[in-house]
Structures are given as structure tokens and as C-alpha cells.
Amino acid sequence: MVDLGQVAIKLGERVYRLICGEGEEKRLEALGQYIDAKISDLAGKHGQIGEERLVLMAALLITDELFDLLDRDPETSDADDDEAGRAA
């Protein structure tokens, strides 16, 4: 039997309770805090424009950060591969 952990992630005004693998709790909490900080920053800049819109904007910003990191990785720097990967 697999041991499970539980974590409560706060995003904006909501709390989401998640089940995860045992030992993954701290990582999930850190990820949730990062996302929540993005949402809070966006709300501070743009006001309360709706929870769904704030979450979408945060997801887009985080994905943009990821793409920037992938673009800097020498193994993924081939322009043809980057364009193909982003189009998928």
C-alpha cells in the first residue's frame, strides 16, 4: 500500500486540499506559495479582476518563466526544436 500525504494549498481566497505521495508535502506547499505570490502580485497591480483571470494570468507568467529557462538550456537551444516544442 502506498503511503499518502495531505497538503492544503491557498490560492487567492480559496484553500485546496490535495493528497500527494508521502514526503512530497513540502514541495507542493512551496509550489503553492509561489503560485499564490504570483496571484497576489497580479491582484495588487490589476485589482480584483476575477479569480479565474488572476489564476490564468499567473499560469501564463509561470509558463513564460519556464520557457525562458528552457531557451537558456544548451540542450534545447536549437531554434527548430524550440519552435516545434512550443507549437505542440
Side-chain angles (χ1 to χ4, degrees), residues 17-67:
R17 301 199 184 285
L18 304 173
I19 294 174
C20 61
E22 186 175 349
E24 295 176 346
E25 297 90 349
K26 287 185 181 183
R27 177 69 170 179
L28 281 176
E29 287 171 354
L31 294 171
Q33 289 169 357
Y34 187 81
I35 296 167
D36 189 51
K38 290 285 184 191
I39 292 169
S40 295
D41 184 53
L42 288 166
K45 290 179 181 176
H46 302 287
Q48 288 300 328
I49 56 174
E51 186 176 24
E52 287 181 3
R53 185 171 290 177
L54 289 170
V55 170
L56 173 60
M57 290 171 68
L60 290 170
L61 287 172
I62 293 167
T63 303
D64 188 49
E65 292 172 1
L66 173 63
F67 278 16

Side-chain angles (χ1 to χ4, degrees), residues 64-78 82 86:
D64 188 49
E65 292 172 1
L66 173 63
F67 278 16
D68 285 346
L69 289 172
L70 292 173
D71 286 344
R72 279 190 242 143
D73 184 351
E75 293 182 0
T76 62
S77 63
D78 185 346
D82 285 348
R86 287 189 184 184

